[in-house]
Amino acid sequence: MIWVGLAVAGAIGAPSRYLLDGFIQQRTQRQWPLGTLVVNVSGSFLLGFLTGLLLYHAFPTDLEVVLGAGFCGSFTTFSTFTFEMARLAEEGAWRQAGAYAVLTVGVGLGAAALGLQAAGGL
């Protein structure tokens, strides 16, 4: 049954990423991939929160796997992050590519830590 949950959660996560990324990129109309950054940071927060629920509040492991791996795994995107960073570098926007990499990793880790802390405080 967990496989069905993973498939359903993944089927919701991927289009959610597409819609949120598109919504942000349309409104900013920039070369810089703000939409993917927001998607990855918010997904990191959610995964940290789910992990905190599991660690501190006996959240069901199967549900954490379904939501964490299924939804968060399909919602966040390492491949698009890598592609967009490489695209910026190929276009000669080295500083933007570097800033994008540092922000994605740094803010993503911070968001995961905040999610973990938020769940612990419940």
Side-chain angles (χ1 to χ4, degrees), residues 55-121:
L55 291 173
Y56 305 125
H57 302 290
F59 194 66
T61 304
D62 288 351
L63 191 54
E64 202 269 342
V65 169
V66 166
L67 295 175
F71 180 82
C72 292
S74 66
F75 180 69
T76 59
T77 173
F78 184 77
S79 58
T80 302
F81 158 68
T82 304
F83 171 79
E84 290 172 340
M85 189 174 51
R87 180 185 52 81
L88 287 168
E90 285 177 350
E91 293 173 357
W94 290 99
R95 287 185 185 174
Q96 288 181 341
Y100 179 52
V102 168
L103 281 171
T104 297
V105 174
V107 177
L109 285 171
L114 282 174
L116 189 65
Q117 185 178 23

Side-chain angles (χ1 to χ4, degrees), residues 46-59:
L46 179 58
L47 187 56
F49 187 78
L50 292 170
T51 302
L53 290 177
L54 176 71
L55 291 173
Y56 305 125
H57 302 290
F59 194 66

